[in-house]
Amino acid sequence: MADQPSVAAADRAAELARSIEAHNRAYYVDDEPTISDAEYDALFRELVDLEANYPALKRVDSPTQRVGAPPSTAFSSITHGQAMFSLANCFNDDELTRFDDSLRRELGVETLTYNAEPKFDGSALNLRYVGGVLESAATRGDGTVGEAVTPNARTIRNLPLRLAGEFAADSVLEVRGEVVMPRSRFERLNAGLVDSGNKPFANPRNAAAGSLRQLDSAITAERPLMFYAYGIGQRIDVAITDRISEQLERLDRLGFTVSPHIERVQGVAGCIDYYQRMAERRPELDVEIDGCVFKLDDGAQRAEAGFVARAPRWAIARKFPAEEVVTTLADVDFQVGRTGAVTPVAKLVPVAVGGVTVSNASLHNADEIARKDVRIGDQVRIRRAGDVIPEIVGRAAAERPADTRAIEIPAACPECGSAVDRVGDDAIARCTGGLVCPAQLREALKHFASKSAMDIDGLGERQIVAFVADNLLASPADIYRLYQYRDALIERPGYGEKSVDNLLAAIETSKNTTLARFLYALGIREVGSVTADSLAERYKTLDAVRMAALDYPDQVARVSAEHSTKKAQEDALSETGLRALPDIGPRVAECIAEFFAEPQNQRVIDELLAAGIVWPQPEVSVAGGELAGVTFVITGRLPTLTKDELEARINAAGGRVASNVSKKIDYVVVGEDAGSKQERAASLGITQLNEAGALALVDGS
Ligand code: IVH
C-alpha cells in the first residue's frame, strides 16, 4: 500500500496545482507567460512525482489530469442542467431588421441594446462546475442530453478545472462555449497526420469536433484545442447578473477565455455595423467564425421575449455568406452509386475556399451542366457552405477560353461497361448493369449490411471492397454463403480465426430481422427506412408488399382509363394500394413497382429467404382467421364505416383487401356512388355485398 501523504506533502501538492494553473492561465488564456518553459516543466514534474508517490493527492482538478485518462469504449450520456438551445439564422440585413423590428414592437422599446459576439465555428460544450470544480463536460447532443466527454475536456489547456473565487460546496454553475482549433494549429496538425500516413481533417471545425470525441483522451490531449466561453446555463447558489455583457466579463474573471471581439451595440444599425467590421476582420482571425450572434443584453427583456421551439426569440445569428472562389475546371470524372446513378464529379485545379483546399466539386447531373453552361477548361466559381460538398455555382466569366471541351455523359458505365441509360424524366444517367456492376454491387452490399438495414457488424466498406474484388461476394445473398470460405478467410492478411468467426457470427445473427429492415436493406430506390417502416406496417407480409407493387402499374392504367382529369386520377390512386400510404407518391410507387417487376431482384429475394432470413410473422387474429385466403375490394361510400375501418375489420378476421377488381377477388363491397369497380364486378360475376353483408362475414354470422 502507498504511504499516507504527510501534511507538508499535501500542502505542497495543493500549492503546486494552484501555481501551475495560474501559469497555465497566464500562458493559454492571457497570452502573457509568467515563467520560462523550463521552470514550468520543473513545477509540473514535481507535482507528477508527488502524485505518483501519494496517489491520494491526485485530485480531479489537478493540472496533471490534462494529459488524458485511460481510453473508454463508449461515451455515457449526460442530461444538461438547463437545455442547450439553438439559434435562429439570418442571411441579410433585411432579415436582421425584421428580427429587431418585431422585438422592438413586442417590448415597446425604441432602441434595443444587443450584445454582439462572433459566432464560433466549432463544437459546443457544456461544462458543469460543482463547488467551483469541473465535474463533467458534455457535447450539445440533442440539446437536452449530450455525450460525456469529461476526460477530453480536461485536456483543453485554457479551460479552467477550478473556477477562480470562492464557491459553496454544493453550488452549480454550467458554462457553455465552443471548442475550436485555431487555423494555424490546424494546418500543423493536418501536416503531421499526413506525414504519419493518416487522413487529414477537412476543416478546423471537424478537427475540433473529432478531437473532442476521441475515446482515448490522450489523443485529445495532443490536439491543440481551445475553449471560448459564450454563456451560462444552470446556476444554483451562484450569484450572477442577468446582463449578458456582464456575464461574459464575469466568465473572464472566473478564468475562461472569452472572445476579445465582443461589444455592446445599439439597435439594428449597431448590429449591421458590427457585422460589417467582423466580416472584414474575419480573414485575419486565427479562429474560424461563420457569422455574428446578437443577443438582447438585458435579462428582463430576454425573459419577456421568450422562446420559440428550440431557439430563443431574443437572439439571432447573422451568418456570413458562403465563400466563393474562382478556379479552373480541369476534368470531369463519373462516379457510379448504389442505384447506378452516374454522377459527374468536377476535378478542379486545387483552390482554398472556406479554410480547406478543394479539388472536387459536385456537378449533379446533365441538366445542371447544361443549365450552368460549363465546359472542361472553363473558369468556374466554386462555393462551399459549411460541411456540404463544394459545388460549382457557374462560369466565372462570360468569355471562355478557346480550347474548352463539352462534358459528355458516357454511353458506357466507367466501372463495368454496361450501357448507360438516360431515359426517364429525372435527368439522371444510370448504369444498367445492376449487380453486375462492381460499383453498384459494392454500394448495394454496404447498404445491405449497414446499421439500419441488416446491421452486420464487421462487414464494412473495407471488407466489402476486398471481398467483391476477390469474387467472394457477387450479390447480397452471397454474404450468407461466406461461412463456406471460413478457412480461406482466416488465411487472408489482416484476418484471423477470431475476427472471421466474429464476422460469421454477426452474419448469422443478422438473419433474425424485421420485415421493415429487410425491405430497407433491399435498397429499393427512393425507399428509405421511414417508407420501409410504413410498408411493413401496412402490408404485414412480404407477399402483400409484392402484390401491391406488381398491381400498381395495372392500377395506374385502370385509373387513367376511368378518370379523365389528372386530379380525379390522383384522387383515385391515393385511395387504395401503394399510393394510399402517406409517404408514397407517384415517384416512390413507380420505383417500388419497378423493383419487384425485375426478375433479378426477385431471385435475390428468394435466395435471401432460402438462406434463412426470417422476421416475426403477423399475428393471426384470435377470431381464427376464418377469412384467411379471402380477398375483398371495397368501393364507394359506405353507410357507417370508412374504407379503412372496414379494411381493418377484414384484416383482423384474416382477410385481405385489394385495390382492384379482378377474377381473383372473392367479394366486392359496394357503397354509394360505386362506379366502374361495381360494373367490373358484375361483368366478372363476382359476389357483391353491402356493408352489413361484409360485417356479417367478418363476424362469422
Ligand atoms: S449562444 C441560446 N453564442 O452556435 C443561445 N452560440 O446555432 C445559444 N455558437 O450550438 C447559443 N458561437 O455552439 C452562442 N457566441 C456564440 C456562439 C454560439 C458559436 C454555436 C453554439 C450553438 C450554435 C447555435
Side-chain angles (χ1 to χ4, degrees), residues 660-678:
N660 297 295
V661 181
S662 70
K663 274 189 279 189
K664 292 183 222 149
I665 302 300
D666 299 291
Y667 298 102
V668 174
V669 184
V670 180
E672 216 174 313
D673 295 333
S676 63
K677 286 188 191 177
Q678 185 178 17

Side-chain angles (χ1 to χ4, degrees), residues 85-87 117-120 124 140 178 230 293 295 312 314:
F85 294 98
S86 48
L87 282 171
E117 311 169 15
K119 184 168 191 303
F120 300 104
R140 179 176 184 281
E178 199 89 343
Y230 59 61
V293 184
K295 304 173 184 166
W314 43 259

Side-chain angles (χ1 to χ4, degrees), residues 591-614:
C591 291
I592 298 171
E594 267 173 35
F595 182 90
F596 283 96
E598 168 64 47
Q600 156 81 5
N601 293 332
Q602 191 49 56
R603 207 162 44 240
V604 171
I605 292 176
D606 290 344
E607 287 182 22
L608 287 168
L609 298 180
I613 291 182
V614 289

Side-chain angles (χ1 to χ4, degrees), residues 83-158:
M84 293 180 80
F85 294 98
S86 48
L87 282 171
N89 282 331
C90 70
F91 293 90
N92 56 48
D93 293 346
D94 281 351
E95 288 172 358
L96 192 56
T97 307
R98 274 202 291 279
F99 161 80
D100 176 63
D101 282 347
S102 92
L103 275 182
R104 284 191 304 129
R105 217 174 312 119
E106 173 149 343
L107 302 175
V109 177
E110 188 55 35
T111 309
L112 291 166
T113 301
Y114 293 99
N115 200 64
E117 311 169 15
K119 184 168 191 303
F120 300 104
D121 197 7
S123 200
L125 189 65
N126 183 26
L127 306 173
R128 187 179 179 84
Y129 290 88
V130 177
V133 176
L134 179 65
E135 183 200 62
S136 66
T139 62
R140 179 176 184 281
D142 63 6
T144 305
V145 178
E147 286 176 321
V149 290
T150 317
N152 301 12
R154 286 208 176 98
T155 71
I156 301 175
R157 299 299 194 272
N158 76 328

Side-chain angles (χ1 to χ4, degrees), residues 22 152 283 312 435 514 535 583 623:
N152 301 12
L435 294 183
T514 63
L535 282 169
D583 46 358

Side-chain angles (χ1 to χ4, degrees), residues 674-685:
S676 63
K677 286 188 191 177
Q678 185 178 17
E679 287 162 26
R680 197 168 153 74
S683 71
L684 291 172

